């Protein structure tokens, strides 16, 4: 029943921008903490950004100042605005939700971000 669907990935030139979206269903969205993670080939998965149910945010050091996470509870959607993309950013970006009531994590299928130079 729980489903997260990411969209917005694609190919962009270095220095360009993308906005990723993650639409949630089957959850009480406004009560969940949401986050974005990424994993590139040969690299470990890393935290990109988190936004809590209360709207507090946290970012990985490599994206701080360039990426912005936000949420629209009316649309059950979390966003990641990605600016000033560089060759270190290409990866599969996945949306994660955490339902604190049942202590369960859930993940989307991921969306590919590719940066050309």
């Amino acid at each position: 029943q729980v489903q997260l669907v990411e969209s917005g990935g694609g190919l962009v030139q270095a220095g360009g921008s993308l906005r990723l979206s993650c639409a949630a269903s089957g959850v009480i969205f406004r009560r969940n903490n949401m986050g974005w993670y990424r994993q590139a080939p040969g690299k470990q998965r890393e935290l990109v950004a988190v936004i809590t149910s209360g709207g507090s945010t946290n970012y990985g050091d490599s994206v701080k100042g360039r990426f912005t996470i936000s949420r629209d509870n009316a649309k059950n959607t979390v966003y990641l605005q990605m600016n000033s993309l560089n060759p270190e950013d290409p990866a599969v970006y996945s949306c994660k939700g955490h339902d604190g009531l049942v202590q369960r994590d859930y993940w989307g299928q991921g969306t590919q971000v590719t940066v050309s130079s």
Side-chain angles (χ1 to χ4, degrees):
Q1 189 64 232
V2 176
Q3 187 175 27
L4 302 179
V5 179
E6 300 102 329
S7 62
L11 174 65
V12 64
Q13 285 196 60
S17 298
L18 286 174
R19 189 176 78 157
L20 306 183
S21 299
C22 172
S25 61
V27 299
I28 305 175
F29 181 78
R30 61 182 177 175
R31 297 183 180 179
N32 284 262
N33 296 341
M34 305 298 298
W36 288 95
Y37 294 76
R38 68 185 183 185
Q39 187 168 26
K43 300 180 181 179
Q44 295 182 342
R45 185 177 64 190
E46 64 175 333
L47 171 70
V48 177
V50 169
I51 185 165
T52 69
S53 60
S56 298
T57 59
N58 191 37
Y59 297 90
D61 289 340
S62 63
V63 307
K64 188 176 180 62
R66 299 187 296 122
F67 293 6
T68 302
I69 188 170
S70 61
R71 64 193 295 160
D72 186 339
N73 289 339
K75 296 181 178 179
N76 286 2
T77 301
V78 61
Y79 304 96
L80 184 69
Q81 179 65 47
M82 310 166 67
N83 297 329
S84 301
L85 286 160
N86 61 51
E88 287 69 50
D89 295 323
V92 174
Y93 285 71
S94 298
C95 180
K96 175 188 175 182
H98 177 75
D99 187 338
L101 186 62
V102 298
Q103 293 294 111
R104 177 169 290 176
D105 293 340
Y106 46 95
W107 292 83
Q109 81 286 354
T111 186
Q112 177 71 240
V113 172
T114 303
V115 180
S116 63
S117 59

